[in-house]
Each structure stands twice: as structure tokens, then as C-alpha cells.
Amino acid sequence: IGGVDDVKLKKCDACDLVQYCSDNCKQDHRSQHEQSCKKRAAELREELLFRQPESTHVGDCPICCLPLSINGKRCTVMSCCSKWICDGCDYANLLRQLSENLQVTCLFCRHRVPTTHKELEANALKRIAANDPVAMTQLGFTRENEGDYDSAFGLWTNAAELGDAIAHWALSIAYAKGQGVEADQTKKMYHLEEAAIAGHPQSRHNLGCYAMRSGKYDRGVKHWIICANLGHDEAIKVLKECYKGG
């Protein structure tokens, strides 16, 4: 649709191929545009899905500025500020504070480290009130461990809407198992892809496995290459086997 000087044109939300002067114009043109729109939207989705993320979903430690390990056991999320801290920095800080008889505080925000479950949850609720997706996700795991799958699902849904990769990963598992929600394979794959796009290595690895099982070997290898570049050991191992077997 041609542009007019005094009309601000709106792009198609799905494909960006055409522009419209109004909602009515968009509706009138829908039948002509629908097929090409779906095709272009699928192409854009593929480009996004197979783009190499700049870093993993956890990024860098805010203290030493080195990439955080994708192994969740080697870094700690602070309940007071929701920052991920590498274990090396956390341990060095703890040793310093203990040797100098200082109060144990968060290395990033300097708040006192909670010592009880009640204090941990109070911190989480405070962060959630500030719309913090990391806090929502972590409290979701707490609710899951307590067997409250409905609350966990709600927290992960809110966190995923705010772009949290781990929440998308958790939702993919919830939809796969039907915990807190009706099982849905389509939604499982959607959240798995969203997590992978955000740099979640395990989600990317799983997508590669699903592609291989479906006979889509090229897609599977692409997923594993991206995953290996993020430092995922298992992806490196399966790629070796792929190259060995041709």
C-alpha cells in the first residue's frame, strides 16, 4: 500500500512486508496478503530460532565479568537482588567476611544474606512486587517442590511474559508433564524454542534431539552447533558422533 504524506502507515505485525493506512485497510487486504504473510512469518521465525545467541541465558557474573557457568550448581542467584553470582566470587567474598568478622552480605547489593526460609520467601515476594522475572521463576521452583503446581505455573507464566529463559524452560516441562496445566505438545515446543532463542543451552540441546528423532538431521545438527558454542558438553559429544558417522 503506497504511503501518503499525512498518514502514518502501520506495518503488518507478523511479517513487516506491507504497510497499511488503517485497520480497515488491513482487514480489506487480508485475503490477498494472508498466504504470503504466513510464509514470511515462518521465515522470520526460522531466522530467529537459528541465530547464535551472544551469550547464555545467565550472561556474565556482575562482579568478575566472566561468563557464568551453564551448570546451575556453579553459580548462585541472590534472593535480595536476583543477581546471578559465580561461585568463585561468592566464596571469596564469604571468606573475606568471615575472616574479618563481618556480617555476611550480598556481594552485589550488600544486603544481609537471609538465614531462614521465611526470610528467603520475604525477599522473593519483595522482588516479585517489583516485577522481577528471576524472583518469579525461583519462587515457582519452590512452589513446585512443595507440590503446588498451579502456583508454580502461574509464576512461570508471568516470568516468561517478561522474557525469562528459565521460566520458558520450566513451562515446556509443565506442558510436557501436564503439571498445573493440561498437557500440550505444541505449547511445550513453543516454550522450548523461546528458551533456546534466549540462550538456554539445555532447551537448545533438547530441540536438537527432537529434530533428530523426527528425521530432520540438518535442523538437529544446527541446534547442537549453536548449543556447543554456548559450552554445552553433551552437544559437543553428540556432534562428534555425528561427524564420525557422517
Side-chain angles (χ1 to χ4, degrees):
I1 307 300
V4 181
D5 291 343
D6 59 346
V7 176
K8 185 176 181 180
L9 301 180
K10 300 178 182 178
K11 289 184 178 181
C12 173
D13 296 331
C15 68
D16 291 345
L17 286 175
V18 295
Q19 295 179 320
Y20 298 102
C21 58
S22 67
D23 291 337
N24 288 336
C25 177
K26 180 179 179 179
Q27 188 64 34
D28 292 341
H29 189 246
R30 182 177 179 82
S31 60
Q32 302 174 49
H33 174 58
E34 188 171 11
Q35 188 172 353
S36 60
C37 178
K38 288 182 179 179
K39 180 181 177 182
R40 181 54 182 159
E43 291 172 352
L44 290 172
R45 178 68 178 180
E46 286 290 287
E47 290 175 12
L48 181 63
L49 180 59
F50 288 104
R51 185 181 302 159
Q52 180 70 49
E54 293 183 3
S55 66
T56 68
H57 62 293
V58 287
D60 300 335
C61 173
I63 306 303
C64 65
C65 298
L66 294 175
L68 286 163
S69 172
I70 61 176
N71 184 341
K73 295 180 180 179
R74 295 178 182 174
C75 49
T76 303
V77 60
M78 309 306 295
S79 66
C80 44
C81 56
S82 294
K83 295 294 183 182
W84 287 92
I85 308 291
C86 74
D87 278 359
C89 290
D90 189 39
Y91 183 64
N93 181 57
L94 180 61
L95 284 182
R96 180 186 64 83
Q97 291 175 337
L98 292 177
S99 66
E100 297 176 13
N101 292 319
L102 300 174
Q103 185 183 54
V104 179
T105 59
C106 170
L107 185 54
F108 184 82
C109 69
R110 302 301 181 184
H111 278 79
R112 184 178 65 83
V113 173
T115 56
T116 66
H117 177 75
K118 185 177 180 180
E119 290 178 334
L120 278 170
E121 185 151 324
N123 279 349
L125 293 174
K126 184 177 178 180
R127 295 302 307 165
I128 289 172
N131 228 24
D132 187 327
V134 175
M136 294 175 190
T137 300
Q138 296 304 312
L139 187 58
F141 286 123
T142 300
R143 294 291 180 260
E144 180 191 32
N145 290 334
E146 295 169 349
D148 187 356
Y149 299 117
D150 291 341
S151 295
F153 179 80
L155 287 162
W156 291 332
T157 299
N158 291 338
E161 289 174 355
L162 293 170
D164 190 81
I166 300 177
H168 279 295
W169 159 252
L171 284 173
S172 73
I173 297 174
Y175 277 112
K177 295 182 177 180
Q179 291 181 335
V181 67
E182 185 177 348
D184 189 317
Q185 294 302 305
T186 300
K187 290 183 179 179
K188 179 195 80 171
M189 293 303 294
Y190 167 77
H191 286 290
L192 207 58
E193 289 182 357
E194 288 296 305
I197 290 169
H200 192 275
Q202 190 59 48
S203 296
R204 180 70 67 176
H205 181 263
N206 286 8
L207 286 174
C209 294
Y210 290 134
M212 285 294 189
R213 291 171 189 168
S214 301
K216 300 175 182 178
Y217 303 119
D218 290 344
R219 290 177 67 87
V221 169
K222 283 182 181 179
H223 281 304
W224 285 338
I225 289 174
I226 294 172
C227 190
N229 287 334
L230 293 173
H232 194 277
D233 291 340
E234 192 61 32
I236 296 173
K237 290 179 183 177
V238 293
L239 280 173
K240 285 182 180 178
E241 295 301 317
C242 287
Y243 285 121
K244 188 186 295 184

